[in-house]
Amino acid sequence: MQQIENFKSIIDKYKVVFFDAFGVLKNYNGILPGIEKTFEYLEATGKEYYIVTNDASRSPAQLAESYHKSGLSIIKAERIISSGMLTKEYLDLQVRDGIVAYLGTTKSAHYIESSGLHTLPVSEINESNIDKVNALVFLDDEGFDWARDLNKAVNLIRKRTIPVIVANTDRAYPLTISDVSIAIGGIAAMIESVVGKQFIRFGKPDSQMFMFAYDMAREQLRVNKTDIVMVGDTLNTDILGGNKFGLDTVLVLSGNTLAKDVSTRITATGIAPTYICESAVIEGSDF
Amino acid sequence: MQQIENFKSIIDKYKVVFFDAFGVLKNYNGILPGIEKTFEYLEATGKEYYIVTNDASRSPAQLAESYHKSGLSIIKAERIISSGMLTKEYLDLQVRDGIVAYLGTTKSAHYIESSGLHTLPVSEINESNIDKVNALVFLDDEGFDWARDLNKAVNLIRKRTIPVIVANTDRAYPLTISDVSIAIGGIAAMIESVVGKQFIRFGKPDSQMFMFAYDMAREQLRVNKTDIVMVGDTLNTDILGGNKFGLDTVLVLSGNTLAKDVSTRITATGIAPTYICESAVIEGSDF
Amino acid sequence: MQQIENFKSIIDKYKVVFFDAFGVLKNYNGILPGIEKTFEYLEATGKEYYIVTNDASRSPAQLAESYHKSGLSIIKAERIISSGMLTKEYLDLQVRDGIVAYLGTTKSAHYIESSGLHTLPVSEINESNIDKVNALVFLDDEGFDWARDLNKAVNLIRKRTIPVIVANTDRAYPLTISDVSIAIGGIAAMIESVVGKQFIRFGKPDSQMFMFAYDMAREQLRVNKTDIVMVGDTLNTDILGGNKFGLDTVLVLSGNTLAKDVSTRITATGIAPTYICESAVIEGSDF
Amino acid sequence: MQQIENFKSIIDKYKVVFFDAFGVLKNYNGILPGIEKTFEYLEATGKEYYIVTNDASRSPAQLAESYHKSGLSIIKAERIISSGMLTKEYLDLQVRDGIVAYLGTTKSAHYIESSGLHTLPVSEINESNIDKVNALVFLDDEGFDWARDLNKAVNLIRKRTIPVIVANTDRAYPLTISDVSIAIGGIAAMIESVVGKQFIRFGKPDSQMFMFAYDMAREQLRVNKTDIVMVGDTLNTDILGGNKFGLDTVLVLSGNTLAKDVSTRITATGIAPTYICESAVIEGSDF
């Protein structure tokens, strides 16, 4: 098995660090104790960082605010790249007018609204407005009645040839130490198989997430891919995606991948990180 | 394209007829007008018939009763073979004691109960009884809160290594002339992909449905597979399943497969029925 | 974890034993040492047995002969049920005339020939005979030029709407202690995804294999499913298939599933055997 | 159905045009008659163009040379972006030393070689060098013995936890007006399902192809995504990929998608191009 390395000594080799959020910076208990040290170190050493997250439930500003409330006040909204931002960019570029139907909370929908576009929950689509619907977006697993609105979504997609966007590819997310919750990506996959059409997915491991962050990093700094390391807790999103995009990767054992399983999982999937660390926390003594 | 043939002249060649229910004998408007003539003809000519249906929401007795109420009084419960019956047989043979958790209506659960087994809706599974759950069954898309109970089902399957049975493989069913509804088979496929385990499925096109009906036919009559014809409206369940089991097949155009699409669909899927007919209705003049 | 039990004490509870072949009775080194004792015991105690194998490369007679040559002279051809037999039954019932194109050895093709049917290797299909081809069968991974003949098969399937039969669902089989070989089932899955049509598969875990064996057992003996136990080395074919058919199952650790992995694999797949044994060999002292 | 529009009037609205190669600029008969007019027009009007192709069998220089030989002398190597280039970039960034095993022609392998890396056909991997193999690349469907080398590839992947790269995602390509050929992407999908590991794929519809071309366009010209149109003949690679990346798209009917099927295919897949044109050829009178 690969040996477990010291996180600080790894990031010392890079100019830019991309972090996954859930399982790396926070978990169901809140912010990882000590993680603020890591960001202090990054700022002190002049390294750039971005948080690259499959989260379309809130805007970067709202996500940053939730970090601040949890005591991680250093993280600014402009450092957060979410699959929701890719969804918004897609709608801006490809859907010029009409209604964007959505499954998710009102909060998530507010964020993707653009000039010329009007968002409407799937529950409010009816015979009088269905012909104006020009896109359907799967945003969040909350904020709607699954039985009623998933059936409505199926029939909407059958009747209208429109782009269907999945703003978060995750199939499940951890809820407590023992329980998970079905994510909107899992729900969207069911609907896709029922209707037999091809949806558009945004989120890791897809390269578009990394490209978005890479473009932002290049606006700040003259860097290329060898200067960047991706830190994540999940082999088939963070590590596979970062690796495919050409980045070195750090698998941390503070989330989805447990220390006892890491060797088996790497062999079984064939997805190998460049490094493995206990977590992204830099110990005080390291600093 | 294959030509459209006369239904009566086809069944004249066989001793036993297997019918799919939905799209063949009935649709969202009720019983197909004139279909009773077909069953009168079968009885008059001494042919056996069975209804082979992916329906686990009710017992054969309840299904028969609903035919009677709709005016098709000739159909007896013992002629109905449902995927629910296979589920019940499985539980009888393979689950000896404890609780069978289910997703569906109380009515559907009542039918699969056996001596030694106690059924409990997924909503009522909790820490005090989870260790006694020895199977989970997906019965019907109604009778439970999707968001709450599907999440509970995911966590049940993650915690307990138990057989998970899908009592109806259909992914969707027609609700009105223009709308469909997600079926329990589609929901189960989502849960299967979220948990990454292998479920046990009962229903066409799987051979076990046909075998069950074939065993019943052989108890009544000395027949072999060449004496039986399967009549259905869906290529990838009725026709593929019947064909694979070695039966001749009739595709009827009164349900899922429309006359305008039949040629394209056969070419696209590679699934070819032995015959194509407008419907399973025998005209008065034919009689 | 489930405990490891004594094979003899398990089969004492049943009247009929179904055995998988590879990994149970033999492996790449030949017949499992001592396995003849098991069959002597079965005969001595009047139990029925059947070998249920995903092997379409040879006829039961040829398979029996190979057991005899390897020193297991007790096994008779009529006790061997292969996916090739299901393929032959299918062709007898469903393909009345014309050419059956095949991928495999001449030996494998000879076995499936029927009155009225002429088999021809895919390599010999050309413009003059392609319109007479009424079925294509994937029989064996040997006996043909993969690059040339798989491309010919793709184009045959695109041009003719005919049943395509996969006579062995396995994706790979063990070749030596460390190496595997791609099986015809794996090749067929590739062709199916390239052409986008639906093939007909015979072999475990499909119920049709078990039904065939069950019908034969019932001709000899008055038994029902609770009298039969299925013995196999592979969770997702032997155990899943036996279990779904309603049979009790024994997982043996002499083949695909190693002792060190068994607990992890059962949890990961959700497929649990009724019993686990080291192997199907009955020790001399047991007898 | 969408109406068929004039190609010249569409590209007049954009500054940069991305072209798929096969089915758009050429087919099995060679260069599309008249296509040189299109490139003359692009040069005359100062528009940039890139050819974005799922072809890893040759280097851009070799691809350009083949266009020149076929009479399309205007196309320069630096305008060709291939999935092979992404593969080469990946190897440069992620595989530092050792052997890159490959399936394909020697010509295709020569192109991906980098300093520090040595390429070796899979046929030459053996016990003495297998431990030095640090990547496996699927490059081309030609240049190797399928039966022997695909089996070797399976066992290589089972023994070594290394990245496996698929340099062309296409499952098939047209060979003549009536025949197709299995592409290396189809072969790789089979091997992936046999070994159960996750491969890294380069090629449309993946965004990385479009990003590569977009980066090159931005080095020449100050453009954003709304200035670019993607022209292709295939819905689920060119159109889906271009659309997801945020580009407007033109579906041409000179390749994979025929005029008679276009309406059905768009409805069935849910993938809708911005425009549909007969071909990318600009008529003399248009100029």
Side-chain angles (χ1 to χ4, degrees), chain C residues 85-133:
Chain C
M85 289 167 72
L86 293 180
T87 303
K88 185 173 169 49
E89 187 200 36
Y90 176 85
L91 295 173
D92 288 347
L93 286 168
Q94 289 287 314
V95 184
R96 267 114 220 201
D97 52 33
I99 295 169
V100 174
Y102 70 90
L103 291 162
T105 60
T106 316
K107 194 185 275 185
S108 60
H110 180 67
Y111 165 58
I112 58 161
E113 282 210 345
S114 289
S115 60
L117 291 181
H118 176 54
T119 58
L120 211 60
V122 161
S123 59
E124 291 180 26
I125 304 301
N126 55 41
E127 286 197 12
S128 78
N129 57 26
I130 190 169
D131 288 336
K132 289 178 209 122
V133 176

Side-chain angles (χ1 to χ4, degrees), chain B residues 11-228:
Chain B
I11 59 172
D12 280 346
K13 303 182 210 167
Y14 299 89
K15 295 181 190 163
V16 180
V17 187
F18 290 174
F19 290 98
D20 177 37
F22 210 92
V24 178
L25 308 184
K26 59 182 176 180
N27 63 22
Y28 32 82
N29 286 324
I31 291 298
L32 237 68
I35 195 71
E36 67 280 2
K37 287 263 184 197
T38 298
F39 289 92
E40 286 163 19
Y41 182 73
L42 291 168
E43 303 237 323
T45 53
K47 295 182 196 294
E48 294 278 317
Y49 59 85
Y50 293 92
I51 296 165
V52 180
T53 175
N54 283 2
D55 190 336
S57 67
R58 287 173 294 179
S59 69
Q62 290 164 332
L63 288 168
E65 200 189 314
S66 91
Y67 283 110
H68 301 171
K69 278 187 189 158
S70 312
L72 196 56
S73 53
I74 209 169
I75 294 189
K76 297 183 199 76
E78 58 267 30
R79 298 305 183 101
I80 302 177
I81 287 122
S82 73
S83 51
M85 290 167 72
L86 293 180
T87 302
K88 185 174 168 50
E89 188 200 34
Y90 175 86
L91 295 173
D92 287 347
L93 286 167
Q94 289 286 314
V95 184
R96 268 115 219 203
D97 52 33
I99 295 168
V100 174
Y102 71 90
L103 292 163
T105 61
T106 315
K107 194 186 273 185
S108 60
H110 180 70
Y111 165 57
I112 59 161
E113 282 209 346
S114 289
S115 60
L117 291 180
H118 176 54
T119 58
L120 211 61
V122 161
S123 59
E124 292 181 24
I125 304 300
N126 55 42
E127 286 197 13
S128 78
N129 58 25
I130 190 169
D131 288 336
K132 290 179 207 119
V133 176
N134 286 333
L136 168 65
V137 187
F138 286 81
L139 282 171
D140 199 359
D141 59 292
E142 297 186 332
F144 62 98
D145 178 327
W146 287 22
R148 182 194 62 194
D149 294 346
L150 293 177
N151 275 307
K152 285 196 78 167
V154 163
N155 288 299
L156 169 63
I157 301 167
R158 291 175 71 245
K159 287 168 189 168
R160 302 269 299 130
T161 298
I162 52 172
V164 181
I165 298 100
V166 186
N168 174 346
T169 50
D170 294 351
R171 301 222 160 181
Y173 58 92
L175 199 65
T176 67
I177 196 162
S178 61
D179 283 7
V180 301
S181 197
I182 302 169
I184 190 68
I187 294 171
M190 169 177 73
I191 304 298
E192 194 176 28
S193 100
V194 167
V195 297
K197 298 193 179 182
Q198 183 111 34
F199 295 177
I200 290 172
R201 285 188 164 65
F202 293 113
K204 291 170 285 180
D206 195 77
S207 315
Q208 215 154 337
M209 285 291 282
F210 295 96
M211 178 177 19
F212 206 101
Y214 184 45
D215 271 357
M216 287 181 71
R218 284 188 295 179
E219 279 171 25
Q220 303 298 322
L221 224 57
R222 175 171 280 277
V223 287
N224 59 45
K225 291 183 178 180
T226 57
D227 298 315
I228 307 175

